[in-house]
Amino acid sequence: MLHAPEFPNDLRWFNLPAQAGSKPLSLKDLRGKAVLLDFWTYSCVNCIRTLPHLRAWQEKYAAAGLVVIGVHTPEFEFEKDVSNVGRALKQFDIKYPVVMDSDYQIWSLYANEAWPRKILIDKDGKAAYDHAGEGNYKETEEAIQKALLEINPKLKLLAVSAEEGSGGVCLPTTPETYLGTMRGRPGKLWRAVGEWKTHQEFIEHERTTEQFEDYLTLQFEGAEVNLVMSSTSERPAKVRVEMDGKLVRELEVKEPKMYNLLAGHKKGKGELRIFTKDQGFRAYAFTFGGYCD
């Protein structure tokens, strides 16, 4: 096992423990504890799905010596904004320490390539467990328990229950789909109708209309569709979501984050149209959720 690289000391932290004051956390000072690093970013649906497990582990094992630390490494430029991250921490009820890794310093030290990724560091400062992506919650919790028992062999810990699953056939889902020029390309899966301008990270609506005229159309597979969106106008952008010409939902978009467009779609595929009337509406990336029958 390799020693875990130390945190750079010039980064912005949230939720520092009272005993630490304003002093940033360091792995050196945390030696003797088990530290679970979570590489995440707040608009990532895969990261969001893992947060309930992280909150539960922090609450369940903190007294036994576990420290959960979120490493917030942004996927989009707006996720470098301190106020946006602070608002997300409140939205997701995250009370454990989170460090802003806006320049990918920690990401690079750990040779990371994915959101989310969890690395468990043992009492001696060595990386004892590593998992990228969702899932493996049982294995992760068992690794946490093992690290805590190495700290205190007298701990009485309950056995970890197996993950719940449907046991059925899981239908395929469309992969994450970006809309900016850096990683996206209109074509088979999506296209823009009306007046839009494509930027590096997003596509932006270029005019204001009285009715819902301009839209994005998406061909997808999956039971859930999400879209990272924002608006630059003073008032929230009005967005209308339709499937097969029928209203799915209407929502207002202002702050940059992931918004859910469709949930519980058991047909497993379809075509969505996302309408807006407002100039300054921005769309960044579609993400999807699966369905098991």
Side-chain angles (χ1 to χ4, degrees):
M1 292 188 294
L2 299 176
H3 277 281
E6 185 58 88
F7 303 133
N9 56 17
D10 57 346
L11 302 180
R12 173 72 157 81
W13 287 79
F14 293 89
N15 299 340
L16 287 172
Q19 61 268 28
S22 60
K23 181 183 177 183
L25 298 182
S26 72
L27 294 178
K28 180 181 178 181
D29 291 341
L30 293 172
R31 196 68 58 85
K33 294 182 177 291
V35 179
L36 183 64
L37 300 184
D38 174 44
F39 287 89
W40 74 299
T41 189
Y42 81 79
S43 74
C44 164
V45 65
N46 309 96
C47 302
I48 293 169
R49 290 172 183 149
T50 70
L51 293 177
H53 298 275
L54 289 156
R55 292 195 300 265
W57 293 332
Q58 171 70 11
E59 183 175 340
K60 189 175 181 180
Y61 297 116
L66 176 68
V67 178
V68 177
I69 296 177
V71 181
H72 187 272
T73 313
E75 185 173 16
F76 299 110
E77 193 67 24
F78 64 76
E79 291 173 309
K80 297 180 180 180
D81 187 296
V82 172
S83 61
N84 288 341
V85 176
R87 183 165 53 240
L89 297 184
K90 292 180 181 179
Q91 176 189 347
F92 296 123
D93 192 29
I94 296 174
K95 296 182 172 65
Y96 51 79
V98 172
V99 58
M100 287 190 66
D101 187 33
S102 296
D103 294 323
Y104 283 56
Q105 294 182 65
I106 304 175
W107 177 284
S108 299
L109 286 171
Y110 284 83
N112 196 26
E113 296 181 347
W115 299 275
R117 182 187 177 196
K118 291 165 183 58
I119 298 175
L120 181 65
I121 301 168
D122 67 15
K123 63 182 178 61
D124 299 317
K126 295 180 179 179
Y129 175 83
D130 190 338
H131 175 70
E134 297 181 60
N136 273 45
Y137 302 117
K138 181 177 185 291
E139 291 82 354
T140 304
E141 187 169 356
E142 287 174 342
I144 291 170
Q145 288 192 352
K146 180 180 177 183
L148 294 176
L149 287 169
E150 290 175 354
I151 298 170
N152 181 4
K154 295 182 180 180
L155 280 176
K156 302 297 182 182
L157 301 174
L158 297 176
V160 181
S161 58
E163 294 176 40
E164 295 183 4
S166 69
V169 176
C170 293
L171 302 178
T173 59
T174 302
E176 186 170 6
T177 302
Y178 296 92
L179 306 184
T181 57
M182 184 165 61
R183 288 170 289 187
R185 185 177 63 187
K188 183 179 179 180
L189 291 181
W190 71 276
R191 61 188 176 90
V193 176
E195 295 189 17
W196 301 81
K197 183 177 180 180
T198 306
H199 299 259
Q200 191 173 30
E201 287 191 342
F202 55 85
I203 187 168
E204 183 170 1
H205 192 229
E206 288 283 279
R207 65 173 179 164
T208 300
T209 59
E210 289 294 325
Q211 305 298 324
F212 287 112
E213 299 178 23
D214 299 347
Y215 60 90
L216 303 173
T217 179
L218 170 73
Q219 299 282 348
F220 73 94
E221 290 184 298
E224 174 187 331
V225 182
N226 309 293
L227 179 57
V228 178
M229 300 182 282
S230 69
S231 176
T232 62
S233 63
E234 291 186 3
R235 58 188 177 90
K238 302 286 187 180
V239 175
R240 178 183 176 91
V241 182
E242 293 184 0
M243 175 175 284
D244 301 326
K246 297 180 180 179
L247 175 66
V248 174
R249 67 177 47 181
E250 290 185 341
L251 61 158
E252 294 187 343
V253 171
K254 181 58 179 176
E255 64 186 69
K257 65 178 184 178
M258 187 203 79
Y259 295 79
N260 177 256
L261 304 182
L262 180 69
H265 180 60
K266 295 186 178 181
K267 290 184 178 179
K269 61 175 61 177
E271 178 183 346
L272 283 183
R273 290 188 176 184
I274 300 96
F275 292 85
T276 187
K277 299 185 290 187
D278 297 293
Q279 185 177 7
F281 167 78
R282 293 176 174 179
Y284 294 77
F286 289 104
T287 56
F288 306 88
Y291 170 67
C292 295
D293 194 4

